[in-house]
């Protein structure tokens, strides 16, 4: 069974964008929980790759692609999703207390 770790929830709670390298389909699991992915700045095709080494290369390629972008503009492009994801995270936590 796959699950979301505290490291991922921490980022969701504080509104910090992130890229997960975990089990295959980990980002799809986040979507199943109701979270929105940052498709505007991340190509999540690596999430479907079975080999960890391929997923790691996929994340590296994403970081290489955005490393010279203006971080403020990148954040602006996903800001609504960051706020939405924080709300979903709180809803999950408070519903399951």
């Amino acid at each position: 069974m796959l699950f979301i770790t505290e490291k991922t929830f921490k980022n969701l709670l504080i509104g910090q964008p992130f890229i997960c390298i975990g089990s295959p389909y980990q980002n799809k699991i986040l979507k199943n929980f109701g979270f929105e992915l940052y498709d505007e700045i991340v190509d999540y095709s690596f999430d479907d790759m079975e080999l960890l080494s391929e997923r790691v290369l996929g994340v590296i390629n994403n970081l290489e692609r955005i490393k010279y972008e203006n971080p403020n503009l990148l954040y602006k492009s996903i800001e609504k999703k960051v706020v939405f994801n924080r709300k979903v995270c709180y809803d999950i936590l408070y519903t399951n207390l």
Side-chain angles (χ1 to χ4, degrees):
M1 178 178 161
L2 300 175
F3 59 93
I4 301 172
T5 69
E6 76 284 354
K7 294 173 281 302
T8 301
F9 270 113
K10 174 195 68 92
N11 287 318
L12 291 163
L13 283 170
I14 65 173
Q16 181 175 3
F18 59 93
I19 300 176
C20 283
I21 304 175
S23 300
Y25 316 110
Q26 178 167 337
N27 292 290
K28 285 182 179 56
I29 292 169
L30 288 173
K31 285 182 75 167
N32 290 339
F33 274 100
F35 296 106
E36 293 184 353
L37 300 180
Y38 309 119
D39 302 291
E40 297 83 356
I41 60 174
V42 176
D43 172 7
Y44 289 98
S45 60
F46 69 88
D47 195 44
D48 297 335
M49 298 177 181
E50 291 295 324
L51 295 176
L52 175 60
S53 59
E54 292 175 336
R55 291 192 305 281
V56 169
L57 283 174
V59 170
I60 291 170
N61 290 338
N62 272 284
L63 296 175
E64 284 287 330
R65 187 176 42 76
I66 64 172
K67 71 181 177 183
Y68 296 115
E69 298 288 329
N70 181 322
N72 293 322
L73 293 177
L74 289 175
Y75 185 82
K76 268 291 196 217
S77 72
I78 61 169
E79 187 172 20
K80 288 180 182 176
K81 287 184 175 181
V82 170
V83 171
F84 176 84
N85 286 342
R86 185 183 302 151
K87 181 186 178 322
V88 170
C89 193
Y90 277 104
D91 288 348
I92 290 169
L93 289 173
Y94 287 119
T95 305
N96 294 302
L97 286 179

